Amino acid sequence: MNSAIHLNRQDPACNMTRFYRLELTADLFCGVTLTKQWGWTGRDGQARRAWLAGAEEACEARKAWMTRKCRREYREAGGALSAV
């Protein structure tokens, strides 16, 4: 299991281009890690990891973060709004 979602937010009026990345990866202890990475486009940004018990819990957590970010006008890298 290794799935990543890339989100972008652009506001030319404010000269702002930001990214948000959500990635699910399996860990060595039969759990799943949700990695959230964010910052200015073109830079490394910051990252935070959450260790979750299973794939279902991880998918729910990722869906909750996607909902939050879409409310703040982030869109998938392809430009479409996704409801994972």
Side-chain angles (χ1 to χ4, degrees):
M1 167 189 283
N2 187 351
S3 61
I5 297 174
H6 302 274
L7 303 170
N8 292 322
R9 181 178 177 197
Q10 297 181 351
D11 186 355
C14 297
N15 194 25
M16 178 187 66
T17 57
R18 298 186 51 82
F19 75 93
Y20 205 90
R21 183 170 182 255
L22 298 164
E23 182 177 16
L24 294 177
T25 53
D27 66 13
L28 297 174
F29 304 106
C30 298
V32 179
T33 302
L34 172 62
T35 304
K36 300 170 288 211
Q37 184 180 7
W38 65 92
W40 296 102
T41 302
R43 304 221 178 154
D44 291 337
Q46 302 178 43
R48 181 169 289 171
R49 291 185 178 90
W51 287 271
L52 304 162
E56 187 175 318
E57 183 182 353
C59 287
E60 288 298 319
R62 181 176 65 177
K63 185 176 179 180
W65 278 102
M66 276 287 294
T67 302
R68 288 178 196 150
K69 292 302 154 186
C70 288
R71 272 191 242 136
R72 297 198 61 157
E73 299 179 11
Y74 279 85
R75 301 290 181 254
E76 279 197 73
L81 178 62
S82 174
V84 176

